[in-house]
Amino acid sequence: MAGTYRKPHAIMIPYPYQGHINPFVHLAIKLASKGFIITFVNTQSVHHQISKAQTGCRRDDIFAKARQSGLDIRYATVSDGFPLSFDRSLNEDQFVEGLIHVFSAHIDELVGNLVNSETEPPATCLISDTFFVWGSVIARKHNLVHVSFWTEPALVLTLYYHLDLLRRNGHFASPVNRRDNIDYIPGVKAIEPGDLMSYLQATDIWTVVHQVIYQAFDDVKRADIIICNTVQELELETISALNRKQPTYAIGPVFPASFTKSNVATSLWSESDCTQWLNDKPDGSVLYVSFGSYAHTSKQDILEMAHGLSSSGVSFIWVVRPDIVSSDETDFLPVGFEDQIKDRGLIVPWCCQIAVISHPAIGGFLTHCGWNSILESIWCSVPLVCYPLVTDQFTNRKLVINDWKIGINLCDKQAITRDEVVEKISLLMNGQVLDELRAAIKEVRKKLELALSTNGSSEGNFHQFVEKIKTQMREKVGIAANGHLSSR
Ligand SMILES: O=c1ccn([C@@H]2O[C@H](COP(=O)(O)OP(=O)(O)O[C@H]3O[C@H](CO)[C@@H](O)[C@H](O)[C@H]3O)[C@@H](O)[C@H]2O)c(=O)[nH]1
């Protein structure tokens, strides 16, 4: 086959959560527009949920429209080992165990078929979510280039990557963890233990999620390439330090090609349209409140939040996911709340967040600090109130408040009070603090814009990353064909 040009064919597998599916889909489109063939894999359950969330039309293949526009993105769905009716949110440990042991076996089979396909250009690259513990194992077995896609800040990746240092220095997995600053992680300025990811602050460190963490951040060390949905200028030292270990490229933010419109359905819940409601509100007057797709909160916190929002006097849109407390606890808003807030507050189960926060009426975002929400809010220059709940959200808050100064904190402990909610909303939506936050977020936004411009860092890194994959793919094919490097 020497001399013949084969299109590069990459298999992409996101972790089956909204905050991971979104950047994976946008990256698939970006790679396909650079001439890649992509086989995008969702779990059957994710596919079913996305299809159900689409009103009006049934979509068996979420990339059908993208393909009509000339992109070669194929779509495959694979069982995660559980029936569609299984409640993955309520039984997370079991679900995550399934992703480790059963989903991986199905993926192994699918990858084998795509690699050995005789009629199609066989796949030569696997782009898998860093949280999967088996990415490099499957890639190596099938002789694929392994790209680990990290959908959180580089700071979070590097903290997990150096778990051994945290352990050795007594900041993690000690009978009593040290409380002083952590100042020995390469590329990270001193960081407080309270800014670590929730799993590293936990007392029980033998959960299923911890098993994932121990294995996934060992596995990532064998990836050929790491790509991060972040921006070099925002995390320069961290990215450089990671790069000294393994080829690491900051290619973010990975957004839809046209920011507010995507021709690929990704929402796991039906989106309520908030445009009409927002059109009637003055510019910058509405607070958007959302805790993302994954985190849960207590019924008590929801009550305090509701009373706080109601007493604040500010107009708001509040995304109250049906399973926000738990999927078997659905009656949690205060009695008569919706009547009480009338047309000042809009409660929706889900919406197109990007469309909402791009609307000029939005003036602030009370967020759980999911990484996508932070990137999207920066892009729309909307300052933040931080209310982290779990995982990387505590570390992301540190970036928002301490490093970039584009947001304020809701509270230090997890249980909130209505008074704190009123106080912080009023700080965010009025007065001098708001002016300072707005000025700061505009500066950070400029960095994102520059990074994404033709000569910007993310575009440059993306280009280098693509070239590196292609070179490594050619090397793999050469090795496979000849047992040594081909001279192509
Ligand atoms: O009503 C809504 C709410 C959210 N979104 C979108 O859903 C995504 C949510 O992502 P993110 O803000 O990152 O939150 P999570 O869904 O909670 O994301 C998970 O994945 C992220 C990336 O790995 C982590 O940073 C988070 O902590 C983790 O909970 C974003 O693109 C939002 O635009 C909507 O479209 N509509």
Side-chain angles (χ1 to χ4, degrees):
M1 292 291 284
T4 51
Y5 174 74
R6 272 194 190 151
K7 273 186 145 196
H9 181 175
I11 303 167
M12 296 187 67
I13 315 175
Y15 216 76
Y17 293 140
Q18 189 79 74
H20 297 245
I21 297 163
N22 292 6
F24 261 82
V25 164
H26 308 322
L27 179 63
I29 289 175
K30 220 171 156 179
L31 283 168
S33 7
K34 290 276 184 258
F36 273 70
I37 297 169
I38 301 291
T39 296
F40 194 98
V41 186
N42 268 335
T43 64
Q44 284 167 358
S45 158
V46 160
H47 174 69
H48 178 73
Q49 216 181 320
I50 292 176
S51 305
K52 218 171 62 179
Q54 302 306 299
T55 43
C57 56
R58 253 197 89 208
R59 297 197 186 162
D60 284 332
D61 181 338
I62 60 170
F63 290 100
K65 272 200 186 157
R67 262 200 314 280
Q68 278 163 18
S69 72
L71 302 178
D72 193 346
I73 309 184
R74 300 144 193 210
Y75 187 47
T77 59
V78 164
S79 165
D80 58 16
F82 299 96
L84 291 177
S85 58
F86 179 72
D87 190 331
R88 289 155 179 81
S89 168
L90 201 59
N91 304 289
E92 201 198 355
D93 282 3
Q94 227 180 317
F95 173 48
V96 171
E97 290 262 18
L99 292 179
I100 301 177
H101 303 292
V102 187
F103 184 54
S104 57
H106 290 296
I107 290 293
D108 187 18
E109 188 182 24
L110 175 85
V111 171
N113 292 337
L114 290 168
V115 167
N116 297 315
S117 152
E118 287 184 357
T119 49
E120 305 290 332
T124 37
C125 174
L126 176 68
I127 305 180
S128 61
D129 200 296
T130 309
F131 274 113
F132 286 127
V133 303
W134 36 256
S136 78
V137 178
I138 292 187
R140 194 163 295 186
K141 175 173 172 191
H142 297 285
N143 195 35
L144 301 176
V145 176
H146 180 219
V147 180
S148 185
F149 183 20
W150 179 244
T151 61
E152 296 176 5
L155 171 61
V156 175
L157 173 59
T158 217
L159 289 167
Y160 282 134
Y161 198 100
H162 291 290
L163 213 53
D164 55 333
L165 284 181
L166 290 167
R167 200 187 282 267
R168 221 178 302 146
N169 283 280
H171 281 103
F172 174 67
S174 284
V176 181
N177 286 339
R178 274 169 62 181
R179 297 303 307 157
D180 57 339
N181 280 358
I182 299 156
D183 57 2
Y184 46 79
I185 304 286
V188 178
K189 290 206 183 77
I191 180 170
E192 290 176 20
D195 292 330
L196 288 175
M197 296 75 84
S198 63
Y199 306 122
L200 303 195
Q201 298 190 45
T203 41
D204 179 4
I205 58 163
W206 296 110
T207 67
V208 179
V209 176
H210 284 89
Q211 297 309 315
V212 167
I213 290 170
Y214 303 146
Q215 292 176 49
F217 295 94
D218 183 42
D219 186 80
V220 71
K221 293 180 177 143
R222 289 182 287 278
D224 295 303
I225 301 169
I226 300 174
I227 48 173
C228 299
N229 189 16
T230 188
V231 174
Q232 197 166 306
E233 286 74 12
L234 292 183
E235 299 194 87
L236 193 55
E237 287 171 31
T238 311
I239 299 275
S240 308
L242 277 167
N243 225 333
R244 286 194 285 276
K245 300 262 179 202
Q246 272 170 274
T248 307
Y249 300 93
I251 59 159
V254 186
F255 286 145
S258 145
F259 186 62
T260 50
K261 261 202 192 107
S262 167
N263 61 7
V264 185
T266 53
S267 256
L268 296 174
W269 294 272
S270 279
E271 294 170 348
S272 304
D273 190 348
C274 307
T275 324
Q276 211 53 46
W277 190 89
L278 281 166
N279 285 347
D280 292 337
K281 302 283 180 275
D283 284 2
S285 66
V286 177
L287 177 74
Y288 173 68
V289 186
S290 167
F291 311 140
S293 65
Y294 170 75
H296 298 280
T297 154
S298 69
K299 190 170 172 178
Q300 183 58 30
D301 283 341
I302 291 285
L303 284 178
E304 292 301 311
M305 186 66 74
H307 288 299
L309 285 167
S310 170
S311 316
S312 71
V314 165
S315 296
F316 63 89
I317 293 179
W318 185 9
V319 179
V320 183
R321 236 176 48 232
D323 67 340
I324 186 66
V325 171
S326 151
S327 44
D328 57 4
E329 170 85 75
T330 47
D331 186 18
F332 42 74
L333 285 171
V335 180
F337 179 63
E338 298 203 39
D339 287 340
Q340 196 185 327
I341 54 170
K342 291 213 180 79
D343 57 348
R344 188 167 63 75
L346 181 64
I347 311 269
V348 292
W350 195 252
C351 65
C352 176
Q353 176 167 301
I354 282 184
V356 168
I357 62 174
S358 313
H359 195 285
I362 296 293
F365 183 177
L366 197 163
T367 174
H368 71 309
C369 295
W371 184 235
N372 297 288
S373 291
I374 292 173
L375 291 174
E376 291 161 10
S377 209
I378 294 173
W379 192 251
C380 301
S381 299
V382 174
L384 305 154
V385 182
C386 297
Y387 175 47
L389 294 166
V390 70
T391 180
D392 60 330
Q393 295 153 18
F394 296 91
T395 321
N396 303 349
R397 167 176 67 181
K398 184 247 179 212
L399 292 170
V400 165
I401 297 180
N402 300 4
D403 295 13
W404 307 329
K405 305 187 180 0
I406 58 174
I408 56 173
N409 194 24
L410 180 61
C411 59
D412 281 324
K413 37 187 198 340
Q414 265 205 28
I416 49 169
T417 65
R418 59 194 74 184
D419 293 343
E420 275 169 327
V421 175
V422 173
E423 182 200 334
K424 298 300 166 67
I425 290 179
S426 140
L427 256 182
L428 183 79
M429 300 300 282
N430 316 296
Q432 200 192 335
V433 174
L434 174 62
D435 294 341
E436 288 165 10
L437 295 173
R438 273 194 183 147
I441 207 164
K442 284 205 171 106
E443 288 306 310
V444 181
R445 205 265 186 203
K446 263 190 220 156
K447 290 189 178 157
L448 261 61
E449 211 178 320
L450 262 178
L452 291 181
S453 65
T454 316
N455 296 317
S457 62
S458 290
E459 273 310 291
N461 290 335
F462 182 74
H463 180 73
Q464 283 184 37
F465 151 64
V466 164
E467 289 311 308
K468 192 163 181 79
I469 306 189
K470 286 183 181 167
T471 311
Q472 294 202 354
M473 281 175 168
R474 281 195 292 267
E475 286 175 4
K476 294 259 182 202
V477 173
I479 290 168
N482 307 329
H484 58 81
L485 276 190
S486 96
S487 57
R488 274 183 299 151

